[in-house]
Amino acid sequence: AQSVTQLDSQVPVFEEAPVELRCNYSSSVSVYLFWYVQYPNQGLQLLLKYLSGSTLVKGINGFEAEFNKSQTSFHLRKPSVHISDTAEYFCAVNRNTGGFKTIFGAGTRLFVKA
Amino acid sequence: NAGVTQTPKFQVLKTGQSMTLQCAQDMNHEYMSWYRQDPGMGLRLIHYSVGAGITDQGEVPNGYNVSRSTTEDFPLRLLSAAPSQTSVYFCASSSLGTGAYEQYFGPGTRLTVT
């Protein structure tokens, strides 16, 4: 079985500062990894995904994440955040063979202050 | 394309009542799923389907029923509502052809059971 741990429940940061949202996963099989974003009162939308290949993955809105197999981590980063990045961010994992059950982390609330 | 639509947006039920949450997608996706979102717990999978006539249980299926008679629709039925089912419910869909289970989410239904 897979599990996902998001290490911070809330991350406050000033506008234009860099941010890192941390995600660790556990799995006995190879996985696909995802980051989703949820803006207030909306559904989730995909930010980026890791399937295979390069361990540095770029997504929408200037976000990127790095897959580290040895540390079983998939941390999300942005070099300079905007007020509009205020949202909840979810890390998720799925088996890459016949895995129909996506497991989500508990979420990290990013709050960008002016 | 409308994407994934959910109705109603809000619902209040009394304990013991039954209701159906509607979900539809117009992207011809084979995979559809239902999640519930509770504070501090992320999203938990209730039921999912990989095609018309095929459904299976997720992490938290008790108290919920599903059926999939068409590719487009995947309703979620609460048989006898309980206060523990107060939550925000999200429907999602995905194309199995991409093999990566990137999911598209609806806007959610906020359910309160009193």
Side-chain angles (χ1 to χ4, degrees), chain A residues 37-45, chain B residues 37 88 90 106-108:
Chain A
V37 59
Q38 183 181 33
Y39 297 105
N41 299 313
Q42 293 186 27
L44 281 69
Q45 64 182 88
Chain B
Q37 182 180 27
V88 182
F90 288 100

Side-chain angles (χ1 to χ4, degrees), chain B residues 8-24:
Chain B
K9 285 188 177 1
F10 301 94
Q11 183 71 48
V12 179
L13 289 179
K14 293 188 188 303
T15 296
Q17 287 185 317
S18 63
M19 79 158 296
T20 300
L21 280 62
Q22 301 292 344
C23 173

Side-chain angles (χ1 to χ4, degrees), chain B residues 43-64:
Chain B
L43 278 75
R44 292 180 292 168
L45 182 66
I46 304 171
H47 286 285
Y48 67 94
S49 168
V50 297
I54 307 169
T55 63
D56 204 348
Q57 296 181 351
E59 300 171 76
V60 289
N62 292 342
Y64 307 95

Side-chain angles (χ1 to χ4, degrees), chain B residues 100-114:
Chain B
Y101 316 126
E102 169 187 340
Q103 295 188 74
Y104 295 81
F105 284 82
T109 294
R110 187 173 294 272
L111 175 67
T112 302
V113 183
T114 62

Side-chain angles (χ1 to χ4, degrees), chain A residues 4-114:
Chain A
V4 178
T5 302
Q6 292 186 239
L7 297 162
D8 307 289
S9 60
Q10 295 187 73
V11 174
V13 64
F14 284 104
E15 194 174 20
E16 298 184 6
V19 70
E20 178 179 80
L21 307 183
R22 298 178 294 166
C23 172
N24 282 48
Y25 71 94
S26 66
S27 177
S28 57
V29 298
S30 296
V31 295
Y32 294 148
L33 294 156
F34 306 85
W35 275 99
Y36 286 85
V37 59
Q38 183 181 33
Y39 297 105
N41 299 313
Q42 293 186 27
L44 281 69
Q45 64 182 88
L46 185 70
L47 264 184
L48 51 77
K49 60 189 176 188
Y50 172 77
L51 308 180
S52 64
S54 173
T55 57
L56 184 63
V57 180
K58 294 191 184 299
I60 61 170
N61 300 341
F63 283 92
E64 63 181 32
E66 184 154 20
F67 170 57
N68 187 320
K69 189 173 181 180
S70 63
Q71 297 187 6
T72 60
S73 67
F74 191 54
H75 301 333
L76 181 70
R77 301 187 184 100
K78 186 169 183 178
S80 175
V81 294
H82 302 290
I83 298 285
S84 59
D85 292 323
T86 293
E88 189 148 22
Y89 293 78
F90 293 94
C91 183
V93 63
N94 202 321
R95 295 173 54 161
N96 68 4
T97 51
F100 298 122
K101 299 184 181 181
T102 302
I103 305 300
F104 285 83
T108 297
R109 188 169 298 274
L110 176 64
F111 179 58
V112 182
K113 301 178 284 187

